[in-house]
Amino acid sequence: MDEEEILERNQFEELIQGLIEHKYGCSDEFISPNTVKGLRKEIQRLSESGKLKLAGVGNAFDIKQSKEIRGDKINWIQENSTNPFEVIYLKKVGKFIEHLNKTCFTSIKSFESHYSNYEKRSFYTRHLDQFKSEKGRKFSIIVYLNTEWNENDGGMLSLYPDKGVPQNISPIGGRIVFFRSDEMEHEVHPSFTKERKSIAAWFKN
Ligand code: OGA
Ligand code: MN
């Protein structure tokens, strides 16, 4: 194994250990600053060309309703993307899944990812990522694409581990958060100062 692979392995282990010990894993620089920059540029381009859509809504009534639950705009990342930064992202997540399957017998077969952009003051109320219609979602990850972020920007992710102490996580660029989709309730608080950008993904079996 070369140095890069050892670093990567340690990161994967950090995430898995976190999950085992306190029901969530968190690791910084999962994605390198240069790749974060490339991915941020892409979500910016999608945003400016009107390609980000309110998540999971059909008609006008639903839009109003669902904005009180969830205000982010999304765009799915294609599995066969040729955007070099998306390719790097997809490869790294693929390797993490390979490691997870090998060491934890998780039998994850695929994953789906979307960009998420929260405009100022939009939020996502407390929820689980596994819906009745989405039983296939086993694990959730979120990778953040923001430059500079501090407490008074808001936009924290709150995790509510069962019987554990709630945790607040800042959406710092390159950071990844990892938890079980059917078990970890979580919430995105409104950001006050700027848009909040991320990629959310789900591992499925
Ligand atoms: C989601 C979600 C959390 C975040 O997209 O389901 O909970 O920190 N995202 O962006
Ligand atoms: Mn969620």
Side-chain angles (χ1 to χ4, degrees):
M1 267 198 300
D2 63 28
E3 203 174 324
E4 171 94 29
E5 286 172 315
I6 292 170
L7 267 171
E8 218 165 59
R9 241 188 81 123
N10 289 342
Q11 240 171 8
F12 298 161
E13 280 299 309
E14 183 185 5
L15 291 170
I16 293 167
Q17 278 313 312
L19 187 83
I20 292 168
E21 280 164 26
H22 42 256
K23 298 188 187 291
Y24 75 95
C26 181
S27 182
D28 287 336
E29 291 199 33
F30 184 78
I31 297 295
S32 77
N34 191 51
T35 303
V36 169
K37 198 168 152 192
L39 293 167
R40 194 168 56 239
K41 223 172 167 178
E42 180 59 11
I43 188 176
Q44 198 62 40
R45 189 189 68 77
L46 291 165
S47 174
E48 281 160 12
S49 56
K51 297 220 167 76
L52 296 178
K53 305 288 180 204
L54 271 174
V57 286
N59 55 45
F61 178 75
D62 283 344
I63 289 174
K64 185 178 175 302
Q65 282 250 311
S66 75
K67 272 186 104 166
E68 286 158 24
I69 299 168
R70 167 171 198 186
D72 58 328
K73 290 186 180 159
I74 67 164
N75 190 288
W76 292 93
I77 295 178
Q78 300 307 309
E79 241 176 284
N80 58 354
S81 163
T82 53
N83 173 306
F85 302 104
E86 291 180 353
V87 170
I88 293 170
Y89 160 82
L90 292 167
K91 244 192 202 156
K92 178 105 188 216
V93 174
K95 278 190 181 172
F96 177 40
I97 290 175
E98 212 176 287
H99 186 89
L100 196 63
N101 282 342
K102 233 188 274 174
T103 59
C104 303
F105 308 102
T106 38
S107 63
I108 300 302
K109 301 211 167 46
S110 64
F111 67 102
E112 52 185 12
S113 312
H114 67 54
Y115 288 107
S116 254
N117 194 53
Y118 290 83
E119 288 166 16
K120 266 194 249 177
R121 288 179 296 279
S122 53
F123 53 84
Y124 195 160
T125 54
R126 184 166 169 167
H127 66 282
L128 280 176
D129 283 346
Q130 194 187 74
F131 316 95
K132 283 199 189 78
S133 61
E134 276 287 3
K135 281 271 185 246
R137 291 181 169 182
K138 297 301 170 195
F139 297 95
S140 306
I141 60 168
I142 305 121
V143 171
Y144 296 108
L145 305 178
N146 304 297
T147 50
E148 293 166 49
W149 200 275
N150 52 55
E151 295 230 345
N152 41 21
D153 292 320
M156 293 283 208
L157 168 69
S158 286
L159 299 175
Y160 302 101
D162 190 32
K163 300 187 197 85
V165 184
Q167 301 289 320
N168 291 323
I169 295 173
S170 283
I172 291 169
R175 174 173 284 175
I176 181 175
V177 182
F178 168 59
F179 51 83
R180 276 182 63 147
S181 308
D182 62 341
E183 201 176 84
M184 180 64 84
E185 294 194 357
H186 56 283
E187 167 175 18
V188 178
H189 297 279
S191 53
F192 308 115
T193 55
K194 50 189 159 192
E195 296 190 347
R196 178 189 191 276
K197 300 180 195 318
S198 59
I199 298 175
W202 296 277
F203 299 175
K204 305 171 81 164
N205 68 359

